[in-house]
Amino acid sequence: MAPLLSITDLQVHFRTPRGVSRAVEGVSFDVNAGETLAIVGESGSGKSVTSMAVLRLLPTKTTRVSGSIRFEDRELLDLSEDEMRGIRGNAISMIFQEPMTALNPVLTIGSQIAEALMLHQGLGKRQALARGTEMLDLVGIPAAARRMSDYPHKLSGGMRQRVMIAMALACEPRLLIADEPTTALDVSIQAQILELMRSLKARTGAAVVIVTHDLGVVAEVADRVAVMYAGQKIEEASATQLFARPHHPYTSGLLRAMPRLGTSLHDPDWTLASIPGQVPSPFSRQEGCAFAPRCAKAKDVCRRHRPALRPAEDGHSHACHFPDNATGADHV
Amino acid sequence: MGDGEVLVAPALPDLFEDRGRRSALAAVLAHKAIVIGAAIVLVITLMAVCAPWLTPIDPTAIAPLERLKGPSLAHPFGTDMLGRDLFSRVLYGARISLFVGFVIAALSSIIGLVIGLVAGYWRRLDGIVMRLMDALMSIPGILLAIAFMAISGGSMGNVILAITIVEVPRVARLVRGTVLSVRRQAYVEAAVASGSRSLTILLSHILPNTIAPIIIQATYVCASAMLLESVLSFIGAGIPPSIPTWGNIMADGRSIWQLKPSMIFLPALFLSLTILAINLVGDGLRDLLDPRQAGNG
């Protein structure tokens, strides 16, 4: 079966006063129906830009997008703006990072939920409001009918994120893109929201692309993980594989940088690692592996030749000359 | 901080719960400035509307024998140099001032809103439109209005037009600024991501955010328009002197002000009181509609 979403060699360049910023450089991945893919990376790794590019939400004047984004056998990059509008919020919808600002303060919750329903499903106002109430109920908002006529300022961050999820799922999208959906929330609320997303996904069968820098979130929800660094995908694997046997030194570093319960800070064998250095600037493209300057294992070849993404066992793939934990990988 | 003084945080009043439950009308009524200002405006408006019943005397009727009389039962404010009753002239003058003020406030809000929305949302038009507005604003309002009146001639319609031209750029700038800040908000991006068209986003997401600032601005425009109208009439560049307006009454009184200062002071008092009251309403609404106080509960 063809994947639901298939991104091939996606490149996104921004024209800025400081020069051209190469935010995404040749990223490819597939998302199958009903699957949850996590895109992981630090700030500036291009993960959010990739998700914005799928819905073509990047400013057209200053952005060059090339490559291919196929969704249900349609090339999204070739669609007209009108056709694209029919997809946004309908077949593909998006949840944003900031629930506090992603709702319009002067409109009621109800009218904001009803908007997409009236637009895409052709519902009348009354039907749309009724369906909106159902959706609020579904995402666990108490007294949903009364909340419909409330303004956003009366809701907490967690409640607003529930409203955002209700809005995103109202038109039963086949793909949900969630850009850091829990970053702005308290830890206890994060777990609730992730649990909600998981149960709704099970119910609607929507595929989910979750963009995050939080490996805890990944472990919680993802089937498969794509790790991005400096605008490139450097590793992809199933979530269990990735956590058990990371191949790329950057992924290993990320995992070591994640504090775990049960380890003592006084344990001499364990320290919370950090990765030295910073993500390279998107304005200057360097030769060789983008991670080489920060990599403990980097050798001359890393600084000269950029490693290609190569498949390893079980759908695991990585872009590294000297991968960790890899069996049968061809060392250069 | 004295020794041994213990800092105790005062108990925080549960403002937001309270505010949420109250109706909008109750919130308005709890605001003293709005209530006082609105009451004054209402009284003056009623006086203007009911002028024919409050005074039986025609404000333009000349009575040479009754010239420059002091206050009496028949003429509570006395009479002017042509024997016209000042009380009825002031009442009928209120009609003109209020009408001009309200019409200009409405007209410049609507025109300014459209210009501001267009300039703020379609950035291609922004440069041209806003430079035009800047050019209008760079000319002192009173001079611009006088120049327009000099070209077009004195009539009420022309006064309204002249002052509207002066006031529109202020509203347009305000609206444009609001649009520019609102269009960068995450909820506008979210609306784009949910497939709404530009026009829908402009009308259903951005427009409602401009209403509160426009209402506040409209009260200031109304007050400033009334003042400007009086000035124009006073210097003879406004409404024809045959029509009693506060500015015209003051203009008539200018030459005899030592003899009869009340001819200047009474219309001026009404004008100041009305403008003060409208500004009170505006300030009150600004407090009330300020999103930092109403929102983020």
Side-chain angles (χ1 to χ4, degrees):
Chain A
M1 199 178 85
L4 180 73
L5 176 74
S6 181
I7 295 180
T8 317
D9 197 27
L10 179 72
Q11 308 222 12
V12 182
H13 294 179
F14 294 112
R15 209 172 50 234
T16 75
R18 284 173 56 203
V20 174
S21 162
R22 300 165 196 276
V24 179
E25 291 194 81
V27 165
S28 307
F29 58 80
D30 291 346
V31 182
N32 296 315
E35 177 183 51
T36 300
L37 173 77
I39 304 180
V40 185
E42 286 173 90
S43 308
S45 61
K47 57 192 193 310
S48 288
V49 172
T50 304
S51 66
M52 301 275 278
V54 172
L55 274 179
R56 290 206 350 220
L57 291 174
L58 299 165
T60 47
K61 266 193 212 153
T62 51
T63 320
R64 282 267 305 277
V65 181
S66 64
S68 152
I69 303 175
R70 293 193 76 79
F71 176 76
E72 293 181 331
D73 289 324
R74 290 213 279 172
E75 175 58 54
L76 296 189
L77 294 180
D78 293 342
L79 292 186
S80 72
E81 189 55 27
D82 262 337
E83 290 170 311
M84 203 57 220
R85 266 203 298 270
I87 287 183
R88 290 185 193 129
N90 192 20
I92 307 179
S93 62
M94 193 152 183
I95 301 174
F96 288 87
Q97 177 173 359
E98 279 292 334
M100 303 313 271
T101 55
L103 288 169
N104 194 333
V106 300
L107 300 179
T108 60
I109 306 287
S111 66
Q112 296 188 57
I113 295 190
E115 187 179 315
L117 282 165
M118 298 194 315
L119 187 68
H120 296 300
Q121 311 265 300
L123 298 184
K125 180 123 198 167
R126 184 174 299 184
Q127 289 167 296
L129 287 174
R131 176 100 181 94
T133 313
E134 274 173 44
M135 288 307 299
L136 285 193
D137 226 12
L138 192 69
V139 297
I141 290 185
R146 220 179 58 216
R147 285 292 172 211
M148 289 289 280
S149 51
D150 273 349
Y151 289 88
H153 72 263
K154 289 193 174 177
L155 271 60
S156 65
M159 282 296 159
R160 286 189 214 193
Q161 194 60 295
R162 282 170 192 264
V163 172
M164 294 305 298
I165 292 174
M167 284 169 67
L169 294 179
C171 295
E172 294 174 351
R174 267 90 74 197
L175 177 65
L176 176 66
I177 300 174
D179 187 356
E180 307 262 10
T182 57
T183 305
L185 302 175
D186 292 343
V187 182
S188 55
I189 308 295
Q190 286 188 10
Q192 286 180 20
I193 294 293
L194 290 176
E195 180 52 43
L196 174 69
M197 284 179 63
R198 195 159 43 191
S199 73
L200 288 177
K201 185 176 117 65
R203 216 177 141 130
T204 60
V208 176
V209 171
I210 189 163
V211 174
T212 183
H213 64 264
D214 185 345
L215 288 166
V217 171
V218 175
E220 198 81 27
V221 296
D223 300 321
R224 229 149 33 81
V225 188
V227 182
M228 285 189 67
Y229 185 80
Q232 294 159 44
K233 186 177 82 171
I234 53 157
E235 181 160 8
E236 182 177 335
S238 71
T240 41
Q241 281 250 10
L242 189 91
F243 280 96
R245 294 155 43 77
H247 286 188
H248 200 284
Y250 176 66
T251 316
S252 309
L254 277 186
L255 289 171
R256 272 199 303 277
M258 190 167 76
R260 276 162 222 258
L261 281 177
T263 42
S264 164
L265 281 177
H266 308 295
D267 184 345
D269 296 335
W270 186 86
T271 46
L272 185 58
S274 65
I275 304 174
Q278 291 168 349
V279 179
S281 159
F283 290 99
S284 60
R285 184 183 211 159
Q286 57 192 24
E287 266 186 274
C289 173
F291 186 60
R294 301 171 72 185
C295 183
K297 299 166 78 179
K299 299 203 166 59
D300 266 356
V301 63
C302 300
R303 285 181 272 272
R304 278 201 311 273
H305 300 291
R306 175 174 297 194
L309 196 76
R310 69 195 84 183
E313 76 286 7
D314 297 337
H316 204 136
S317 62
H318 58 79
C320 182
H321 293 305
F322 307 104
D324 300 332
N325 298 320
T327 50
D330 48 337
H331 287 231
V332 178
Chain B
M1 230 28 69
D3 290 332
E5 197 176 325
V6 180
L7 277 177
V8 177
L12 293 171
D14 195 4
L15 293 175
F16 301 118
E17 233 0 72
D18 189 36
R19 189 187 285 274
R21 297 277 176 268
R22 276 188 325 200
S23 70
L25 185 67
V28 168
L29 289 179
H31 206 289
K32 276 205 188 83
I34 297 185
V35 174
I36 294 173
I40 296 174
V41 174
L42 194 70
V43 167
I44 292 174
T45 310
L46 277 177
M47 284 169 69
V49 171
C50 303
W53 295 279
L54 288 173
T55 167
I57 304 167
D58 180 350
T60 54
I62 296 171
L65 289 178
E66 301 283 311
R67 280 182 307 153
L68 298 174
K69 282 275 158 52
S72 66
L73 267 181
H75 306 292
F77 289 178
T79 58
D80 70 1
M81 67 283 195
L82 296 176
R84 296 175 295 196
D85 180 52
L86 273 182
F87 182 62
S88 57
R89 285 180 74 73
V90 168
L91 285 192
Y92 280 90
R95 288 184 158 193
I96 308 288
S97 285
L98 290 171
F99 179 75
V100 167
F102 290 147
V103 169
I104 290 170
L107 270 183
S108 28
S109 297
I110 294 166
I111 300 171
L113 173 67
V114 173
I115 294 177
L117 284 178
V118 166
Y121 203 64
W122 285 286
R123 303 311 310 280
R124 214 169 297 175
L125 294 168
D126 187 34
I128 299 170
V129 172
M130 289 323 286
R131 289 307 79 72
L132 200 69
M133 294 293 116
D134 287 347
L136 282 179
M137 278 182 89
S138 67
I139 307 168
I142 182 78
L143 288 185
L144 186 60
I146 291 173
F148 183 86
M149 293 308 296
I151 298 167
S152 61
S155 79
M156 184 137 88
N158 284 340
V159 167
I160 290 175
L161 213 58
I163 302 175
T164 303
I165 292 173
V166 173
E167 301 289 353
V168 157
R170 286 161 234 276
V171 182
R173 273 176 85 124
L174 175 83
V175 173
R176 171 180 172 268
T178 311
V179 173
L180 286 184
S181 72
V182 167
R183 61 176 288 153
R184 274 195 291 271
Q185 296 293 318
Y187 52 81
V188 170
E189 200 180 359
V192 175
S194 72
S196 301
R197 347 179 124 251
S198 317
L199 198 64
T200 316
I201 290 168
L202 182 65
L203 295 181
S204 69
H205 283 274
I206 296 180
L207 177 65
N209 279 287
T210 63
I211 297 301
I214 282 192
I215 290 175
I216 295 159
Q217 183 74 10
T219 61
Y220 298 136
V221 167
C222 180
S224 126
M226 288 171 66
L227 191 63
L228 208 48
E229 179 272 314
S230 291
V231 171
L232 285 179
S233 296
F234 183 76
I235 62 175
I239 292 170
S242 56
I243 302 172
T245 72
W246 289 340
N248 280 339
I249 300 169
M250 286 189 270
D252 289 342
R254 190 179 44 178
S255 52
I256 51 164
W257 79 274
Q258 281 164 315
L259 209 60
K260 196 167 173 57
S262 62
M263 251 180 95
I264 299 261
F265 290 134
L266 282 170
L269 183 73
F270 272 82
L271 180 65
S272 317
L273 198 64
T274 314
I275 289 173
L276 173 75
I278 293 174
N279 278 327
L280 276 179
V281 173
D283 284 344
L285 286 176
R286 192 189 54 204
D287 292 348
L288 213 62
L289 297 174
D290 188 334
R292 266 161 304 184
Q293 294 185 22
N296 298 332

